[in-house]
């Protein structure tokens, strides 16, 4: 395996005439065994699969390979995917995928985020990623809505500033609209659960924000008093001293 992987990668990069045979072989290696995945890792396999996300016919097999690899060896794949360049590649891929392709990429992406809290945190720290997910909640297929809700839910749980995200993307309003759709029972149920989490975050964060704001105002007032105390003697005191 260690000898064949570089040849497969070279054939794919150079777009040789055997490329169509090399692509399915290298994608399948992530599914086969821990030994094959270890060899892929040694040859930069995670980064290589990321480059395939720009391939029209191979982006979904490449993402599936990353997903199964993440499930089987979370730490190895996570360490690479949370790097800035890798995360940016995933965000870019997610944003440009067409509505027709979306259904096929949401489940593996969901699996990856479910296995890795760090990946969820990095992806959902991207405003573009969240906006793309939220805007697609309007697509009619139930399976797409369910996966998008799960992805947003995973991201919000890892968000260091969840209330800011909720407000910026008007998340409560978007999710609430799905709770009212009686034609998609599973979507409505999941949206109701997610909305409850959103409202809990808002209840926790708003009093905390008010407390912080009050503390800052108090500190500012206190700081002004300290400043006045160090300005030196008043003019009358200076005259008396003379």
């Amino acid at each position: 395996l260690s000898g064949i992987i570089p040849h497969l990668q070279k054939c794919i990069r150079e777009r040789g005439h055997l490329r169509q045979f090399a692509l399915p072989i290298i994608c399948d290696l992530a599914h086969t065994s821990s030994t094959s995945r270890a060899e892929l890792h040694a040859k930069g396999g995670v980064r290589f699969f990321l480059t395939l996300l720009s391939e029209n016919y191979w982006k979904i097999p490449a993402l599936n390979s990353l997903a199964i690899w993440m499930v089987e060896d979370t730490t190895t794949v996570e360490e690479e995917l949370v790097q800035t360049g890798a995360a940016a590649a995933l965000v870019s891929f997610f944003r440009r995928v067409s509505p027709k392709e979306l259904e096929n990429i949401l489940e593996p992406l969901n699996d990856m985020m479910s296995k890795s809290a760090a990946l969820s945190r990095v992806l959902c720290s991207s405003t573009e990623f969240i906006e793309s997910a939220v805007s697609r909640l309007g697509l009619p297929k139930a399976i797409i809505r369910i996966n998008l809700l799960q992805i947003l839910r995973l991201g919000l749980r890892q968000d260091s500033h969840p209330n800011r995200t909720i407000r910026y993307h008007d998340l409560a309003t978007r999710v609430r609209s799905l709770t009212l759709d009686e034609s998609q029972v599973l979507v409505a149920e999941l949206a109701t659960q997610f909305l409850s989490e959103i409202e809990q975050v808002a209840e926790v964060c708003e009093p905390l924000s008010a407390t912080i704001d009050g503390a800052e105002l108090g500190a500012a007032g206190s700081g002004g008093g300290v400043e006045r105390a160090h300005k030196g003697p008043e003019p009358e005191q200076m005259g008396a001293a003379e």
Side-chain angles (χ1 to χ4, degrees):
L1 279 177
S2 60
I4 193 173
I5 291 174
H7 291 292
L8 292 171
Q9 291 173 326
K10 182 179 179 182
C11 180
I12 293 166
R13 287 192 185 104
E14 295 181 353
R15 312 189 77 82
H17 65 285
L18 295 176
R19 190 173 192 266
Q20 60 180 326
F21 301 105
L23 280 162
I25 292 172
I26 203 164
C27 287
D28 286 346
L29 286 176
H31 297 252
T32 53
S33 69
S34 58
T35 301
S36 63
R37 287 187 287 270
E39 292 296 336
L40 275 172
H41 181 246
K43 302 299 185 294
V46 172
R47 295 281 175 166
F48 187 77
F49 283 134
L50 287 172
T51 67
L52 296 182
L53 295 181
S54 60
E55 296 271 350
N56 283 334
Y57 298 107
W58 292 100
K59 55 189 168 189
I60 293 173
L63 185 67
N64 284 327
S65 294
L66 284 171
I68 192 66
W69 196 352
M70 172 72 88
V71 170
E72 296 296 332
D73 188 1
T74 303
T75 303
T76 296
V77 181
E78 179 184 73
E79 286 177 353
E80 296 203 42
L81 290 185
V82 298
Q83 301 300 317
T84 302
L90 282 173
V91 171
S92 177
F93 163 72
F94 181 70
R95 293 181 64 201
R96 70 174 181 268
V97 74
S98 70
K100 290 183 179 179
E101 298 168 320
L102 189 62
E103 182 178 348
N104 294 322
I105 69 106
L106 287 176
E107 186 173 347
L109 186 60
N110 200 345
D111 290 343
M112 292 165 71
M113 293 176 66
S114 296
K115 287 294 292 184
S116 172
L119 181 63
S120 294
R121 184 162 49 252
V122 168
L123 290 180
C124 292
S125 67
S126 165
T127 301
E128 291 82 5
F129 183 86
I130 295 292
E131 182 55 42
S132 184
V134 170
S135 66
R136 288 166 168 177
L137 287 172
L139 293 173
K141 293 192 75 170
I143 189 63
I144 290 177
R145 289 177 167 182
I146 287 170
N147 275 301
L148 286 171
L149 285 169
Q150 289 172 335
I151 284 170
L152 288 166
R153 198 176 182 184
L154 287 167
L156 194 67
R157 287 173 178 174
Q158 301 303 323
D159 197 333
S160 55
H161 302 287
N163 207 32
R164 183 187 304 170
T165 299
I166 290 167
R167 290 178 175 179
Y168 184 84
H169 298 283
D170 197 15
L171 201 52
T173 302
R174 304 284 189 98
V175 174
R176 186 176 289 108
S177 67
L178 296 180
T179 69
L180 306 175
D181 190 346
E182 297 179 357
S183 66
Q184 296 182 343
V185 176
L186 292 178
V187 172
E189 288 179 357
L190 183 57
T192 299
Q193 294 169 11
F194 187 25
L195 182 61
S196 177
E197 291 185 22
I198 291 171
E199 290 172 343
Q200 288 174 14
V201 168
E203 287 174 4
V204 169
C205 291
E206 285 180 3
L208 179 61
S209 177
T211 301
I212 292 171
D213 290 343
E216 288 175 349
L217 286 170
S222 174
V226 170
E227 184 181 355
R228 285 191 297 272
H230 287 82
K231 281 182 178 179
E234 295 293 330
E236 292 180 2
Q237 294 174 322
M238 291 176 67
E242 291 172 355

